[in-house]
Amino acid sequence: QVQLVESGGGLVQAGGSLRLSCAVSGVIFNNYAMGWFRQAPGKEREFVSTITWTSGSTNYADSVKGRFTISRDNAKNTVYLQMNSLKPEDTAVYCCAVAPTFPATAARQYNTWGQGTQVTVSS
């Protein structure tokens, strides 16, 4: 059984940076994808980025392209989301998730989720 634990959220000023981490425990198969999603108050959950566990292929939402970078460290069983040039509209709870397929940009493709970490960007 796969378990995911996010960390690294916090309060940052606009233009600042944060790095989120997602620690993975359990069995991850080579073709699995790891994804980051976010949900702001009163809004639907939104795809942010995804990466394959082995090849490292990535995909990003248009709203974060050029500002966010997803990566993984297979040795540490950890997926990261480096967030630069943060904007107030990036404020949300960020969750990582696992999907048995790639690319996977829809939440319904993911079958295991972490509890989330809060990111707040002040103006």
Side-chain angles (χ1 to χ4, degrees), residues 3-7 20-24 34-38 49 79 93-98 110 112-117:
Q3 291 186 318
L4 309 173
V5 179
E6 302 95 334
S7 61
L20 305 183
S21 299
C22 175
V24 183
M34 302 297 301
W36 285 97
F37 287 77
R38 66 187 182 185
S49 183
V79 177
V93 174
Y94 285 70
C95 293
C96 65
V98 176
Y110 290 79
T112 302
W113 294 80
Q115 83 288 350
T117 186

Side-chain angles (χ1 to χ4, degrees), residues 38-102:
R38 66 187 182 185
Q39 188 166 18
K43 295 188 177 181
E44 293 188 353
R45 185 162 46 190
E46 175 188 21
F47 167 76
V48 175
S49 183
T50 185
I51 187 169
T52 54
W53 191 246
T54 50
S55 71
S57 297
T58 60
N59 199 334
Y60 295 92
D62 288 343
S63 58
V64 306
K65 278 181 182 177
R67 300 188 299 122
F68 290 11
T69 302
I70 191 171
S71 63
R72 85 269 186 260
D73 185 330
N74 294 51
K76 295 183 178 180
N77 277 6
T78 302
V79 177
Y80 302 99
L81 185 68
Q82 178 66 44
M83 306 185 296
N84 298 329
S85 301
L86 283 162
K87 305 175 182 179
E89 51 264 43
D90 294 319
T91 295
V93 174
Y94 285 70
C95 293
C96 65
V98 176
T101 184
F102 183 89

